[in-house]
Amino acid sequence: MQTHYLSEDNSILNHFLGQIRNVNVQHDSMRFRRNIERIGEVMAYELSKDLHYKNVEIQTPLGIKKTTEIEDKLVLCSILRAGLPLHLGFLNYFDNAENGFVSAYRHHPNNDEFFDILVEYQAVPNIENKTLLLIDPMLATGQSMVAVFNKLMEKGLPKEIHIAVIIAAPEGIAYLEKHLPDSCHLWVATLDEKLNDKKYIVPGIGDAGDLAYGNKL
C-alpha cells in the first residue's frame, strides 16, 4: 500500500486540522462540519495530482485552448455518518463523480471493550473498472475500513482504489497494510500517536460523528 502524508509541509491544511482538534472551536458543530469539508477540498486537490488525465481542446470565445481533464471515472464512497462532511468536500472538487454510502459501526455484543464491525446499509453504484475513493475522517483500528472495503469488493473490482482519512493512528495504517492490496493508495492528512485502551485515537479529536451531528444514544 502506498501511503501519502499531507501535513508534513506547512499549509492551510494544518490550520483547519488545528481547528477541528481545538476544544474551544470544535463545539461549534457548523464550523466543525465546514472545517471537515474544507479539509476534504484540500485532500481532493492533492489526490487529484495522482489521477489520470487526457488531452482536450476547449473552445473559448476567442479561439481554441489545449488543456487536460480528468479521465478517470470516479466513485466517492463514504462511511456513515461521520464521513458525510468529508464526502462533501471531495464532491465539491470531483463534482462529476458518482456517489456511494455505507454504514459501519462498532458493535459490542457483550457490553465490554470487545467489538466487531457491522456493515449494514449500502447505497453504492457500480464500481467495476472505475476509480474508487473510499472516505472516512478517522482511521483508528482500521477494522471498519477493511470491513467496508471487503463488502464493496463483492460488487466489483475497481481499476484503482484510493482511501482518504483525516487522522490516522499507526495501528490502523498497519492493519490496512496487512489486509488491503499493495496497489491501494492511502491519503492521510495527519498521523497521530497511538490508540488508547478503548481504541480511540490519541490525541485525536473525539467522536467526529458526534461533533458534526450531535450525540447519539
Side-chain angles (χ1 to χ4, degrees):
M1 186 175 66
Q2 303 177 59
T3 304
H4 312 261
Y5 297 101
L6 301 181
S7 64
E8 294 178 342
D9 298 321
N10 283 326
S11 75
I12 192 67
L13 174 63
N14 288 338
H15 178 81
F16 298 146
L17 288 169
Q19 289 198 350
I20 66 170
R21 293 184 190 272
N22 190 329
V23 294
N24 296 314
V25 178
Q26 64 174 205
H27 68 276
D28 182 340
S29 60
M30 184 171 68
R31 187 173 186 84
F32 181 83
R33 290 193 303 271
R34 180 65 182 115
N35 279 327
I36 294 290
E37 181 182 344
R38 293 194 288 189
I39 290 170
E41 292 172 347
V42 174
M43 296 186 72
Y45 169 74
E46 294 295 340
L47 189 153
S48 73
K49 300 174 184 178
D50 209 59
L51 298 178
H52 301 93
Y53 292 79
K54 61 183 178 181
N55 296 319
V56 296
E57 292 185 346
I58 303 296
Q59 176 71 59
T60 81
L62 299 177
I64 301 294
K65 174 61 179 176
K66 293 182 179 181
T67 184
T68 60
E69 63 182 30
I70 294 174
E71 189 174 31
D72 303 77
K73 296 179 179 180
L74 300 178
V75 176
L76 308 180
C77 185
S78 59
I79 301 176
L80 299 174
R81 63 183 167 151
L84 291 176
L86 188 61
H87 186 113
L88 181 57
F90 274 83
L91 187 58
N92 288 343
Y93 276 26
F94 301 134
D95 53 296
N96 290 323
E98 297 179 273
N99 296 271
F101 304 91
V102 179
S103 73
Y105 63 94
R106 296 182 179 186
H107 172 59
H108 297 264
N110 303 316
N111 295 318
D112 55 18
E113 293 184 359
F114 171 79
F115 63 86
D116 51 17
I117 303 298
L118 294 186
V119 179
E120 296 182 337
Y121 175 83
Q122 299 176 66
V124 180
N126 177 27
I127 62 173
E128 185 72 33
N129 204 35
K130 297 177 182 177
T131 298
L132 175 66
L133 276 60
L134 187 52
I135 300 164
D136 198 32
M138 311 295 285
L139 179 66
T141 67
Q143 291 174 243
S144 294
M145 188 66 74
V146 170
V148 169
F149 174 88
N150 289 336
K151 184 65 67 173
L152 290 174
M153 292 307 101
E154 296 175 3
K155 298 181 176 296
L157 183 63
K159 181 176 67 175
E160 287 190 357
I161 300 165
H162 296 265
I163 296 170
V165 301
I166 297 177
I167 299 176
E171 296 92 331
I173 294 176
Y175 190 83
L176 263 57
E177 289 175 338
K178 182 178 180 180
H179 291 92
L180 296 187
D182 292 340
S183 58
C184 286
H185 289 259
L186 173 63
W187 299 82
V188 179
T190 188
L191 177 66
D192 272 15
E193 297 173 10
K194 60 181 180 180
L195 298 178
N196 64 14
D197 292 341
K198 294 185 177 181
K199 306 302 182 183
Y200 292 123
I201 301 174
V202 177
I205 59 171
D207 189 299
D210 287 356
L211 290 167
Y213 298 111
N215 294 333
K216 57 185 176 293
L217 293 177

